[in-house]
Amino acid sequence: MTSSSQLSGFLEIATEAALAAGEVLLDYLGNIGTATQKGRPGDLVTVADKASEAVVLEILQRHFPNHSILAEESGKLGLAESQYLWAIDPLDGTTNYAHQYPFFAVSIGLLVDGIPEVGVIFDPFAQELFRAARGLGATKNRRPIQVSTTNKLSESLLVSGFAYDRHETADNNYAEFCHLTHLTQGVRRSGSAALDLAHVACGRLDGYWERGIAPWDISAGVILLQEAGGKVTAYDQSPLSIESGRILATNGLIHHNLSQELIKVAALS
């Protein structure tokens, strides 16, 4: 079992890496040249993604040479058999960033035996640093945060997103987005899963769901939200699998009702 003091140490190194990567992103902002499409339409990578990731990898590998790493741009690195896995998104919200739309972040999560235990999300444009570790609480800029107290779906503000394969499948979240727009005070689409989770954690939003996401998108946000008093599951309220590609995350109070609405929506034909 990983001790609280160990988790605290991991959290400090993750913070160092996230802050350094955030500075890289600000340095490149507005000066990235041409963004490259990685595969599906809209799935972009820039020189900033790669430079930010290089900074994070250097810091983590220097401090934790025996840990495993899963990074969006570099893939799996380090010791495959390690119980510690760092899940890194060096620039969550690349499309926003490429257009100089100010909603993007660095996300660094640590999974211990497959369970999120440490998370840091840094929004360099807003200069907001979100941090959490199991049993140590959640903070924004070093001050405690907690989820909202909204207990009615009709009074909630939600956020979601659309995966890069939305052009190829009927399971594209369009129907769910429309359905819940009519049942709530609104549904936002920000373009950064990490910040979506951070904003639910600090009470700005009441719930979030999405499909087609990767472990590096949500690992940090999951522990942040849990430590802020929220709830994270699969759509049907079964335990979340970090590699499932689907997540339901709320303040806990609207979780059941939001789950019930999600699972009854039929995909658009």
Side-chain angles (χ1 to χ4, degrees):
M1 182 176 179
T2 307
S3 68
S4 294
S5 61
Q6 284 178 300
L7 292 177
S8 180
F10 294 152
L11 181 61
E12 291 306 319
I13 300 305
T15 300
E16 176 189 346
L19 291 174
E23 288 302 311
V24 170
L25 295 182
L26 290 180
D27 286 344
Y28 275 100
L29 186 61
N31 188 33
I32 60 170
T34 302
T36 303
Q37 193 162 279
K38 291 192 287 186
R40 294 185 173 104
D43 189 4
L44 305 179
V45 63
T46 70
V47 292
D49 292 76
K50 296 177 180 179
S52 174
E53 185 167 291
V55 168
V56 175
L57 291 177
E58 189 282 322
I59 292 172
L60 293 183
Q61 290 175 324
R62 171 159 43 90
H63 287 278
F64 310 118
N66 296 322
H67 287 193
S68 183
I69 293 175
L70 178 64
E72 181 174 15
E73 308 307 334
S74 300
K76 200 76 174 283
L77 305 168
L79 298 179
E81 65 272 18
S82 175
Q83 70 176 125
Y84 299 109
L85 173 65
W86 292 94
I88 302 164
D89 193 337
L91 173 48
D92 188 44
T94 299
T95 301
N96 289 346
Y97 183 88
H99 289 268
Q100 299 185 56
Y101 183 76
F103 203 85
F104 53 86
V106 180
S107 180
I108 302 174
L110 174 65
L111 292 89
V112 182
D113 295 323
I115 305 298
E117 296 285 332
V118 172
V120 176
I121 298 169
F122 181 47
D123 177 344
F125 195 89
Q127 287 293 294
E128 290 187 332
L129 175 67
F130 298 90
R131 307 186 337 140
R134 181 77 61 193
L136 300 180
T139 63
K140 176 175 74 74
N141 291 345
R142 313 281 177 164
R143 295 185 177 183
I145 56 174
Q146 61 183 22
V147 295
S148 72
T149 58
T150 303
N151 59 12
K152 294 180 180 178
L153 199 58
S154 62
E155 296 176 358
S156 67
L157 180 62
L158 308 180
V159 67
S160 189
F162 304 104
Y164 295 121
D165 68 355
R166 60 188 179 271
H167 307 279
E168 307 161 11
T169 176
D171 182 20
N172 52 28
N173 201 31
Y174 295 167
E176 293 90 335
F177 193 96
C178 292
H179 179 72
L180 285 159
T181 295
H182 286 282
L183 295 180
T184 64
Q185 290 188 347
V187 179
R188 303 292 181 252
R189 192 278 174 103
S190 72
S192 169
L195 286 180
D196 290 343
L197 284 163
H199 288 190
V200 176
C202 71
R204 293 171 179 164
L205 296 164
D206 306 303
Y208 160 70
W209 84 93
E210 194 165 349
R211 61 161 298 278
I213 50 176
W216 51 74
D217 295 317
I218 61 172
S219 292
V222 165
I223 184 61
L224 182 75
L225 181 56
Q226 290 173 333
E227 286 294 310
K231 186 173 183 178
V232 183
T233 67
Y235 280 13
D236 63 1
Q237 300 185 70
S238 62
L240 175 71
S241 168
I242 205 73
E243 296 182 346
S244 68
R246 292 176 187 264
I247 185 173
L248 171 60
T250 73
N251 62 5
L253 300 175
I254 63 167
H255 203 87
H256 177 74
N257 288 343
L258 181 51
S259 170
Q260 293 299 107
E261 294 298 334
L262 276 176
I263 62 179
K264 75 181 185 183
V265 177
L268 292 173
S269 59

